Amino acid sequence: MAEKEGFRVYNSMTQQKEIFNTHVPGRVGMYVCGVTAYDFSHIGHARAAVNFDVLYRYLQHLGYEVTYVRNFTDVDDKIIRRANELGEEPLNLSNRFCQEYLVDMADLQCLTPTHQPRVSEHMEQIKDMITQIINNDSAYTVDGDVYFSVDKSPNYGQLSGQKLENNRAGERVAVDTRKRNPADFALWKAAKPDEPSWDSPWGPGRPGWHIECSAMSAHFLSYSFDIHGGGIDLIFPHHENEIAQSCAACQESHVSYWMHNGHVTNNNEKMSKSLGNFFTIRQITERYHPLALRLFLLSAHYRSPLNYTVLQLESASDAVYYIYQTLQDCEDALSPFQQENLKEGPDQKSKTARVTPAAQECISKLRSEFQSKMSDDLNTAQILTCAFQEALKFINSSLNILKKKQQKQQLSVVQSLIELEKEVKEVLSILGLLSSSTYLEVLLQLKDKALKRAGWEESYVLNQIEERKLARENKDFLKSDQIRASLTLKGIALMDVGKETIWRPCIPVEPVQPAQPVEQEHKTLPVEQKTGTTG
């Protein structure tokens, strides 16, 4: 309850953080604008999906019953143009890319929303809302088209602060001299040859862009609900127009909190399909583990811009490896004790074992810091540093104690590790970073991606390890160092563990170059080599 009462979110409408309160106690209605399905989705779309997935998870963690609606725009000018280019039926094209988007969302471990409505499946609700707006004297018809009259919306611009004359004509809003006001926007578009259309009271046609979200949010959540989200670029005109037409249809229409995520940039320019400077989710996950992409997307506050760089992805990938190697080592160390308990049952000593004071302090600090950061407008950027890193380090130091088999400490160390692992997993789960795969499977997947980026088969790396071993036996340390350096250059680190040498992914180390201006980057996790030494 204390966590619920302290949760604050930034409301784009009031431009300040506010204590989160719901329309209905214990329940949350949340609508997030989804993708226009005409191509593979890019990492800008992934950022919106991941950030609102974290919000969804966190609200559930707080004990709310959440109805999460995320739509698909499957009827749109862009879809029609792309379908014509490819000689494909528009609805077939959009359906194909809706399915591809769902594949990407599963890869990124985004939970399935409660509802995922499509425009094509909600024409009746859309037409009913348009009729209501016309009946309330806020829209007019012209030759089969229906336009919303912005002059009938006295609070137009309340979300964005934009003036009417700034409504961007031509951005999914037809430039049309028949409009009473140039800022009026289409609710219904009359049918054109070779375009999908539906019958309506105004003749055959299809919906304008903005009306779909008003109609579908009202259908699933009613006219008044808690959260409406989307990318910051949707504030104007899309969300501004949503407010105007929803209020015109129903005076009681109200969204309590408008939440918007920042852009993903490429060389500090907004990443978008229209600019052609984007990377698709699929392009990234072919080379990096989806968990690395997810962690990268959470490495900046959701409202801040996030600049895409390869180094950021490499750092995120390295951080994921370190987390999962720590959890794997912990699982391996605890396994004998858990198996012993299964065979013999817990003895009296096990029953009385307590978490060490140091471990309890570490757990309390992690729990407190997580709650503090998440309750402050989902500040994910700082969660996987500080206390979380300290928890991972504490696990590793505890594993070293366990290896020494100090009997007096063993039981309390085991109990401490069990509780610490549980707390770390809880944090990862809420952030969507806890895979359904085993720790070992994730580690192997990360290694496979590293090999793919290096352009090598594992057999080549193993051969290089043998070459280096032979060089060291012959005291040819120059060659040994060269082999290590050549592998590190490609993102493969060699770890000497006793008499054995193993390998793991690492951040590629470039040869020393003359000093260059340093580009400011978002904070990432500290890089740590997990097992053995690199000497």
Side-chain angles (χ1 to χ4, degrees):
M1 183 60 68
E3 286 184 79
K4 273 188 180 182
E5 292 175 355
F7 183 35
R8 297 188 304 156
V9 297
Y10 184 87
N11 190 347
S12 299
M13 179 66 78
T14 61
Q15 298 185 28
Q16 62 183 8
K17 292 178 186 177
E18 299 176 0
I19 295 295
F20 183 70
N21 292 303
T22 60
H23 279 79
V24 179
R27 296 184 179 181
V28 175
M30 179 169 75
Y31 186 95
V32 176
C33 291
V35 296
T36 300
Y38 69 98
D39 202 345
F40 288 101
S41 295
H42 59 66
I43 59 176
H45 299 132
R47 189 182 191 194
V50 166
N51 279 291
F52 285 105
D53 178 67
V54 169
L55 175 59
Y56 183 31
R57 289 169 179 269
Y58 186 60
L59 289 169
Q60 291 177 318
H61 166 72
L62 293 180
Y64 288 107
E65 180 184 333
V66 185
T67 301
Y68 176 20
V69 184
R70 185 184 65 210
N71 76 299
F72 282 109
T73 297
D74 65 343
V75 179
D76 183 80
D77 292 339
K78 293 180 179 180
I79 295 170
I80 294 168
R81 282 196 297 269
R82 178 59 59 83
N84 288 338
E85 291 169 4
L86 298 176
E88 190 172 353
E89 287 295 323
L91 286 176
N92 289 342
L93 175 81
S94 58
N95 180 64
R96 181 158 57 88
F97 283 115
C98 285
Q99 296 304 318
E100 296 291 0
Y101 178 81
L102 294 177
V103 170
D104 289 336
M105 292 302 98
D107 283 347
L108 290 172
Q109 298 202 156
C110 290
L111 299 176
T112 303
T114 316
H115 305 286
Q116 299 188 84
R118 302 187 186 192
V119 176
S120 62
E121 297 169 353
H122 291 83
M123 287 298 167
E124 293 309 311
Q125 290 85 3
I126 290 170
K127 288 184 286 187
D128 287 346
M129 179 172 276
I130 294 172
T131 299
Q132 190 63 42
I133 295 171
I134 292 173
N135 291 343
N136 290 339
D137 196 31
S138 292
Y140 57 94
T141 60
V142 181
D143 302 328
D145 293 322
V146 181
Y147 290 104
F148 182 85
S149 178
V150 294
D151 292 327
K152 298 297 179 71
S153 179
N155 295 318
Y156 192 86
Q158 60 182 310
L159 176 65
S160 63
Q162 294 275 6
K163 296 179 180 179
L164 282 176
E165 55 267 29
N166 292 337
N167 202 334
R168 298 193 288 268
E171 183 169 324
R172 301 198 192 185
V173 180
V175 179
D176 194 332
T177 57
R178 300 173 302 162
K179 295 180 183 180
R180 296 174 184 174
N181 184 316
D184 293 349
F185 54 89
L187 300 177
W188 188 261
K189 299 180 178 182
K192 296 179 182 178
D194 301 321
E195 288 189 358
S197 63
W198 288 260
D199 290 334
S200 80
W202 321 285
R206 57 186 173 87
W209 176 31
H210 313 295
I211 192 66
E212 64 185 66
C213 290
S214 288
M216 290 190 287
S217 63
H219 175 69
F220 288 101
L221 302 173
S222 83
Y223 277 97
S224 293
F225 56 96
D226 302 297
I227 299 170
H228 196 316
I232 194 171
D233 55 319
L234 296 181
I235 291 178
F236 189 86
H238 185 51
H239 286 167
E240 195 69 74
N241 289 352
E242 271 194 65
I243 294 170
Q245 62 199 7
S246 293
C247 289
C250 177
Q251 289 184 345
E252 286 73 40
S253 176
H254 178 70
V255 172
S256 298
Y257 306 93
W258 289 88
M259 299 179 68
H260 297 92
N261 64 275
H263 296 308
V264 176
T265 59
N266 187 358
N267 293 323
N268 298 308
E269 183 178 45
K270 177 196 169 187
M271 188 178 291
S272 70
K273 291 178 181 176
S274 58
L275 293 174
N277 64 344
F278 67 95
F279 294 95
T280 66
I281 299 169
R282 205 69 57 86
Q283 285 174 315
I284 300 299
T285 55
E286 282 176 359
R287 295 173 58 82
Y288 293 90
H289 197 287
L291 286 175
L293 175 55
R294 186 176 177 105
L295 191 148
F296 161 69
L297 294 169
L298 296 175
S299 66
H301 190 278
Y302 76 90
R303 287 188 285 114
S304 301
L306 176 61
N307 195 41
Y308 166 84
T309 67
V310 171
L311 179 59
Q312 290 280 60
L313 276 174
E314 290 286 355
S315 297
S317 182
D318 195 71
V320 171
Y321 194 93
Y322 174 61
I323 291 167
Y324 274 80
Q325 185 66 68
T326 299
L327 292 173
Q328 178 63 50
D329 290 347
C330 185
E331 184 178 82
D332 290 343
L334 292 176
S335 180
F337 296 94
Q338 292 166 339
Q339 289 174 2
E340 184 177 335
N341 285 342
L342 285 173
K343 288 179 182 178
E344 303 175 6
D347 59 18
Q348 190 62 33
K349 288 183 179 179
S350 297
K351 290 180 181 178
T352 58
R354 295 287 185 270
V355 174
T356 65
Q360 188 57 58
E361 181 182 352
C362 186
I363 290 169
S364 297
K365 185 176 179 181
L366 175 58
R367 191 175 296 163
S368 174
E369 189 172 283
F370 177 76
Q371 178 181 329
S372 172
K373 300 302 181 185
M374 287 296 284
S375 64
D376 184 18
D377 194 32
L378 304 177
N379 191 0
T380 60
Q382 298 181 20
I383 287 174
L384 295 183
T385 58
C386 303
F388 186 84
Q389 286 295 303
E390 289 175 15
L392 295 180
K393 290 176 182 177
F394 195 96
I395 289 173
N396 286 316
S397 63
S398 298
L399 292 175
N400 290 331
I401 294 173
L402 207 57
K403 288 176 184 176
K404 295 176 182 178
K405 298 182 180 179
Q406 298 173 1
Q407 190 63 37
K408 290 182 179 180
Q409 296 178 302
Q410 214 170 51
L411 293 175
S412 60
V413 169
V414 167
Q415 192 61 36
S416 296
L417 283 170
I418 290 171
E419 296 303 318
L420 261 172
E421 182 193 22
K422 188 186 302 180
E423 200 69 28
V424 166
K425 287 172 65 177
E426 176 75 1
V427 170
L428 293 174
S429 177
I430 296 169
L431 295 178
L433 292 170
L434 187 63
S435 177
S436 57
S437 301
T438 66
Y439 303 146
L440 183 58
E441 286 170 341
V442 173
L443 291 170
L444 291 175
Q445 291 161 5
L446 286 160
K447 292 179 80 169
D448 284 343
K449 297 291 186 184
L451 289 169
K452 188 169 187 176
R453 294 194 298 276
W456 293 331
E457 299 289 337
E458 187 176 23
S459 58
Y460 174 78
V461 176
L462 297 178
N463 178 263
Q464 290 297 290
I465 289 174
E466 289 301 314
E467 288 284 329
R468 177 174 173 269
K469 179 182 178 182
L470 183 61
R472 296 180 79 184
E473 289 173 354
N474 295 331
K475 302 194 181 302
D476 188 350
F477 298 113
L478 176 60
K479 182 177 180 180
S480 170
D481 291 344
Q482 287 174 339
I483 291 172
R484 177 191 288 277
S486 67
L487 294 176
T488 305
L489 185 66
K490 289 284 194 174
I492 306 294
L494 300 186
M495 323 293 293
D496 295 322
V497 185
K499 295 182 179 180
E500 184 184 9
T501 300
I502 61 175
W503 74 272
R504 56 148 286 170
C506 69
I507 298 174
V509 178
E510 295 291 339
V512 177
Q513 299 289 342
Q516 298 290 333
V518 177
E519 180 182 351
Q520 185 177 355
E521 294 175 342
H522 295 286
K523 185 182 292 183
T524 55
L525 298 180
V527 178
E528 299 195 37
Q529 303 297 333
K530 176 60 192 74
T531 307
T533 65
T534 57

